[in-house]
Amino acid sequence: MRSIYCGKLNKSHVDQQVELCGWINKRRDLGGLIFVDLRDREGIVQVVFDPEVEGLMDKANALRQEFCVQIKGVVRARPDSQVNKDMATGEVEILGTDLTIVNRSEPLPLDFNQQNSEERRLTYRYLDLRRPEMSDRIKLRAKASSFVRRYLDSNEFLDIETPVLTKATPEGARDYLVPSRVHKGSFYALPQSPQLFKQLLMMSGFDRYYQIVKCFRDEDLRADRQPEFTQIDIETSFLTSDQVRAITEKMIREMWLEFKNVDLGQFPVMPYSEAMSRFGSDKPDLRNPLEIVDVADLVKDVEFKVLSAPANDEKGRVAVIKVPGGAVMSRKQIDDYTKFVGIYGAKGLAWLKVNDLAQGVEGIQSPIAKFLTEDVINGLLERTNAQTGDILLFGADKRNVVNEALGALRIKLGLDFELTRLDQWAPLWVVDFPMFEEDDEGNLHAVHHPFTAPKGITAEELEANPANQLSDAYDMVLNGYEVGGGSVRIHNNKMQQAVFRILGINEQEQQDKFGFLLEALKYGTPPHAGLAFGLDRLVMLLCGTDNIRDVIAFPKTTQASCLMTNAPSVANPEALKELAIAVAIASSEDAAE
């Protein structure tokens, strides 16, 4: 039915007979001549229907937006005065010689000429995907996937599939469970990551593995998360963390060159501790020049307990962000920023404006100035290199609260004050993560996952002082997004059991959950390391959008539902009976929670 795509026509095709298929994007009747813009996945071309071609005008008159048609015609060059430089096919048009209306279209529930709500776009996703903007994103995703496969194939990686129905393992989120009909009362888990399978592949001797694979996590969603997402999964044997980073960094650099014509350059490397200290985040956006500065030592003796209490708490932090030119902030703006940091647990936002640096303390305006001595104020100004017209915004609380609150505030301030260089790219490796983090009850949890190797210590040394050990883990960050993360894996049975014990997993639970892994570690396991990229996030950045749903053909909402198919839905009672499953109906109180 088709001899060429609409968007691929150009002057080299002049005088050729072509057969085109697609949708009517626009129709115009100009004094007897009927013009239509015909659209397919590759672009749009103008078609002219002339009354001199018999039998076509009645059909052409019937055409409306989104009719599906086949058009035969002759390619001809447009006169110079009529060339449309805004269209890739703007130098040519088609003189229609035959028209077949394959299918008519009712008026669309979406208006392609205006902004539609995301809810409506997701409900009629099959129509939304017809828009050139959306079509281009999905095509770029396909090209990015193809690029990854070519790159990894050329570097001797093997594409190997791993199971989708598997056993639940701790990966940091809740599992999606699948009941077994054969083994009533038992469940498979959909993989949050093929973590254990790729390690087992290393034990099997497949020393370079990759897979572009679906992963599933039942967690709270946001603009850059989905319950099912696509991961570029990479694992290697006999390579160090530096070598894994070098291979994967080269892949991303070449990807950006191919699709954006941007040279990202060599990626800087930053320890986790530095990232948290300077930016309050393990995925800092380095396009933003604002930094967080510690000042606990300067305020530990002040009478203002809001500052001095956390300054004297080993788990506390007192820090400030200096905003150049920020002294113009109104009280309402400061109140709005105070509400913003409250989202992250901060109880308030102290501030200090530098109205005139030359006047010293007299040039300072702040509701907490009466609690600060002249030496403290001068110390704050000197450490932050504050100038006339700047403002200092304080965070004082538990370390994690200050990091989250000021880290998020830093991002918001960078955008609000137009300090973030949005036209630039800022890649980064963050390395040397802690092995464990402590919760409010004093229990330790793995920062990455429980199969990550500690850095340069024995199992005995790890168990003797687990809270202060570093892992051989690494994350790739781009413009404030974690686009990939990985680590060197534990390849020693003794070390793996030590980590399980630190995490409170007793021997019986170790055998129940990970017996197959502990057994496999006994048989000549090679040292191995890997990294997984979020394909959706990479494509989101390549497309210049900040919503991951824009680059997934059929995404879920932030409530993990599909508006188009109304999934999830109530299961058939007979199917539940066959699976020996009874459904407890939640009370209104449970539903509210």
Side-chain angles (χ1 to χ4, degrees):
M1 293 183 70
R2 169 193 284 139
S3 63
I4 190 172
Y5 284 112
C6 297
K8 293 188 174 181
L9 289 165
N10 55 53
K11 291 186 78 171
S12 70
H13 299 101
V14 168
D15 296 331
Q16 292 184 21
Q17 296 275 348
V18 294
E19 297 180 16
L20 307 174
C21 295
W23 289 266
I24 301 299
N25 197 66
K26 188 183 294 184
R27 175 187 173 277
R28 304 178 300 283
D29 190 337
L30 302 178
L33 293 176
I34 294 177
F35 293 82
V36 298
D37 289 344
L38 185 66
R39 186 192 72 246
D40 61 22
R41 77 171 208 194
E42 295 298 325
I44 296 174
V45 69
Q46 179 172 281
V47 181
V48 183
F49 293 103
D50 193 311
E52 295 182 6
V53 181
E54 293 185 12
L56 282 186
M57 296 308 287
D58 287 344
K59 288 184 179 180
N61 270 316
L63 294 176
R64 295 295 182 270
Q65 186 183 18
E66 295 307 305
F67 275 30
C68 181
V69 299
Q70 181 198 43
I71 294 174
K72 298 179 182 179
V74 179
V75 183
R76 64 186 190 185
R78 291 200 201 186
D80 291 342
S81 61
Q82 296 178 20
V83 168
N84 186 343
K85 295 181 180 179
D86 295 328
M87 291 175 62
T89 61
E91 292 184 308
V92 298
E93 63 185 9
I94 311 299
L95 176 63
T97 58
D98 191 27
L99 168 62
T100 300
I101 298 177
V102 178
N103 250 323
R104 296 170 180 265
S105 174
E106 294 184 5
L108 298 185
L110 295 180
D111 187 343
F112 287 178
N113 296 314
Q114 69 176 28
Q115 194 79 13
N116 297 284
S117 70
E118 186 173 50
E119 180 179 4
R120 200 149 186 84
R121 288 175 55 206
L122 293 178
T123 302
Y124 298 96
R125 188 61 162 188
Y126 47 88
L127 296 178
D128 186 47
L129 289 174
R130 289 185 188 177
R131 295 190 298 122
E133 180 182 31
M134 289 302 299
S135 176
D136 288 346
R137 289 169 176 166
I138 300 302
K139 283 157 55 182
L140 179 57
R141 182 190 179 103
K143 291 175 182 177
S145 296
S146 179
F147 172 89
V148 167
R149 293 186 188 281
R150 290 196 311 271
Y151 178 87
L152 293 174
D153 288 344
S154 69
N155 280 273
E156 301 184 280
F157 284 82
L158 299 174
D159 184 356
I160 306 175
E161 291 184 346
T162 55
V164 173
L165 296 177
T166 184
K167 189 171 185 174
T169 58
E171 293 283 349
R174 290 179 296 273
D175 290 307
Y176 281 101
L177 300 177
V178 180
S180 169
R181 178 185 60 81
V182 177
H183 306 282
K184 288 182 171 57
S186 296
F187 295 81
Y188 299 101
L190 299 181
Q192 296 186 36
S193 163
Q195 181 60 47
L196 293 183
F197 286 107
K198 61 188 177 186
Q199 290 189 240
L200 292 168
L201 285 169
M202 297 302 103
M203 301 172 196
S204 304
F206 298 102
D207 61 333
R208 290 196 176 200
Y209 141 93
Y210 84 94
Q211 184 182 189
I212 298 180
V213 60
K214 279 290 184 187
C215 300
F216 306 87
R217 293 183 183 176
D218 186 5
E219 59 186 349
D220 295 334
L221 304 183
R222 58 193 186 203
D224 66 336
R225 279 185 182 168
Q226 282 280 288
E228 53 179 322
F229 58 95
T230 304
Q231 186 166 290
I232 305 167
D233 208 45
I234 300 170
E235 197 79 7
T236 70
S237 295
F238 306 112
L239 293 186
T240 66
S241 55
D242 288 346
Q243 290 171 318
V244 172
R245 294 208 319 266
I247 289 173
T248 52
E249 177 180 321
K250 187 171 185 288
M251 183 178 80
I252 298 304
R253 288 180 63 181
E254 291 187 6
M255 180 183 286
W256 251 250
L257 275 172
E258 177 156 333
F259 296 117
K260 302 294 289 185
N261 195 28
V262 169
D263 184 357
L264 294 174
Q266 187 171 354
F267 292 12
V269 179
M270 182 180 295
Y272 168 90
S273 57
E274 181 182 344
M276 297 303 294
S277 175
R278 294 172 59 190
F279 309 110
S281 170
D282 60 1
K283 49 181 185 296
D285 187 348
L286 297 187
R287 300 173 301 167
N288 181 345
L290 297 178
E291 294 196 18
I292 300 170
V293 179
D294 282 304
V295 296
D297 59 309
L298 298 176
V299 298
K300 64 182 181 179
D301 296 324
V302 301
E303 295 180 8
F304 190 44
K305 295 299 182 183
V306 170
L307 297 182
S308 60
N312 287 282
D313 183 349
E314 62 178 13
K315 295 184 178 180
R317 185 179 188 190
V318 182
V320 300
I321 297 177
K322 179 194 74 176
V323 185
V328 297
M329 282 188 205
S330 66
R331 186 56 190 262
K332 182 183 182 306
Q333 285 176 296
I334 295 174
D335 288 344
D336 288 342
Y337 286 127
T338 303
K339 291 177 184 176
F340 176 78
V341 296
I343 298 170
Y344 302 91
K347 301 179 184 67
L349 187 67
W351 54 272
L352 185 152
K353 290 183 178 182
V354 186
N355 293 327
D356 189 345
L357 185 65
Q359 291 188 31
V361 175
E362 298 301 318
I364 299 304
Q365 177 188 354
S366 171
I368 65 169
K370 59 187 176 183
F371 301 109
L372 307 179
T373 66
E374 185 173 352
D375 286 345
V376 169
I377 291 174
N378 289 332
L380 290 169
L381 298 177
E382 181 179 351
R383 183 164 298 179
T384 58
N385 192 29
Q387 304 297 316
T388 297
D390 296 348
I391 190 172
L392 304 185
L393 301 174
F394 291 75
D397 210 308
K398 295 296 184 183
R399 180 171 298 276
N400 64 318
V401 172
V402 173
N403 288 342
E404 286 193 36
L406 291 191
L409 180 62
R410 169 182 173 269
I411 297 299
K412 183 169 177 58
L413 289 167
L415 295 173
D416 290 352
F417 281 80
E418 299 182 349
L419 300 171
T420 302
R421 300 176 290 271
L422 297 176
D423 60 338
Q424 295 184 9
W425 295 95
L428 175 71
W429 283 109
V430 177
V431 300
D432 293 346
F433 284 79
M435 268 294 285
F436 306 104
E437 60 187 353
E438 188 176 321
D439 63 21
D440 293 336
E441 285 75 42
N443 300 313
L444 293 178
H445 301 274
V447 170
H448 267 67
H449 52 63
F451 317 108
T452 297
K455 195 165 186 177
I457 59 171
T458 65
E460 290 79 10
E461 289 170 328
L462 179 66
E463 287 198 87
N465 186 18
N468 295 314
Q469 302 304 330
L470 299 179
S471 65
D472 203 348
Y474 36 84
D475 282 358
M476 183 187 289
V477 177
L478 186 57
N479 289 6
Y481 289 95
E482 178 198 329
V483 295
S487 66
V488 172
R489 322 303 188 186
I490 296 171
H491 67 281
N492 176 277
N493 183 290
K494 185 179 179 181
M495 179 68 79
Q496 186 63 75
Q497 288 182 304
V499 170
F500 286 156
R501 284 194 295 270
I502 291 167
L503 295 174
I505 304 173
N506 62 41
E507 288 192 20
Q508 184 59 50
E509 192 177 359
Q510 290 178 33
Q511 289 303 316
D512 290 344
K513 291 184 176 180
F514 308 107
F516 65 96
L517 175 68
L518 294 172
E519 180 72 12
L521 286 169
K522 297 176 182 178
Y523 304 113
T525 301
H528 54 285
L531 185 144
F533 287 103
L535 177 64
D536 311 296
R537 285 187 187 174
L538 287 173
V539 177
M540 180 183 78
L541 289 168
L542 287 170
C543 290
T545 177
D546 60 1
N547 189 335
I548 207 168
R549 293 185 287 278
D550 286 341
V551 299
I552 299 173
F554 299 104
K556 304 291 190 294
T557 68
T558 53
Q559 299 300 313
S561 64
C562 175
L563 298 179
M564 185 180 67
T565 63
N566 289 320
S569 57
V570 176
N572 184 300
E574 288 302 314
L576 292 176
K577 183 177 180 181
E578 190 174 15
L579 294 165
I581 292 177
V583 176
I585 304 301
S587 67
S588 57
E589 291 82 2
D590 292 336
E593 292 177 4

